[in-house]
Amino acid sequence: MGKIITLANQKGGVGKTTTTMNLAASLAALDKKVLVVDADPQANASSGLGIDIQKIDRSIYECIINHESPQEAILKTEVPNLYILPSHIDLVGAEIEMLKLENREKVLKGILDPLKPDYDYILIDCAPTLGMITLNALTAADSVIIPVQCEYFALEGIGKLLNTIKIIKNKLNSHLEIEGFLLTMYDSRLRLANQIYEEVKGHFGDLVFTTVIQRNVKISEAPSYGQPILLYDPDSKGSLNHMQLAKELIERNK
């Protein structure tokens, strides 16, 4: 039975999408069958994995609003074992349309639960908001990875996210756990980055992944070629970091 992991942080620019795509590709390279669910209207995870979102017939939007089968919308990527349920700009409207739906916080759970037997991991990439789609993603998840950028305002907003997780755990999804906090855009030469790491580690202890994602220009370049870093530059620091993260995640879930 697969595990659904949501990557969430309402602060933008912390590396959610980058982590989702590259962790998924690394897990797939380690012989895990992986589905990325792009729950962000910007659809960056979809285009970053080589999907031309102008040419797709179905996306997560049709699954949510028109109750279309997710199996019909899931696409293969260039990476063996890696699949994606793509997003579309239409998803912006879904937030409002979902308000009319019954059990509106559990729509995504209803879509993804039947897929769990088919995959080892289902990773959900969220928009940088705590809107209805993100609430759905957290309600559908078994656990959540929280990427934290190694910069001055790193811990800003985490309290709000943790409070949201607590409410969801109490009211909608009692099984939701924090998989871990992931330090991203880490530069070991900067004293500030090391301070942030120590601060997050001090706050959250063993919930912080040992692996950190180092600042790496190749990671930023890869999505413009529609490839995860694993294909774009497999020997880069960014690729090695994500492979290490994938191994750590598998180890945690043994």
Side-chain angles (χ1 to χ4, degrees), residues 8 53 61 65 81 98 113-114 131 136 140 152-154 164-165 169 176 185 194 198 207 213 215 229 239 250 254:
I53 55 172
Y61 174 82
I65 301 304
N81 292 328
M98 285 169 86
D113 269 359
N136 262 262
Y152 185 66
F153 294 114
T164 302
I165 290 169
K169 196 167 168 140
L176 183 62
M185 303 176 200
N194 292 303
E198 293 306 324
L207 284 175
I213 307 299
R215 196 175 280 283
I229 189 71
S239 182
I250 291 167
K254 272 185 176 172

Side-chain angles (χ1 to χ4, degrees), residues 39-104:
D40 184 347
Q42 293 179 84
N44 290 337
S46 303
S47 56
L49 288 173
I51 305 300
D52 184 344
I53 55 172
Q54 305 303 325
K55 293 183 177 171
I56 58 174
D57 298 325
R58 293 181 185 85
S59 70
I60 192 171
Y61 174 82
E62 282 76 21
C63 300
I64 290 171
I65 301 304
N66 302 335
H67 311 294
E68 293 199 18
S69 160
Q71 282 92 342
E72 300 288 317
I74 289 169
L75 301 169
K76 280 182 175 180
T77 71
E78 262 188 90
V79 181
N81 292 328
L82 180 57
Y83 299 80
I84 184 159
L85 178 52
S87 185
H88 194 273
I89 191 65
D90 289 348
L91 198 58
V92 171
E95 293 266 343
I96 297 157
E97 293 178 68
M98 285 169 86
L99 294 175
K100 301 178 290 193
L101 300 177
E102 208 176 323
N103 275 336
R104 56 181 179 261

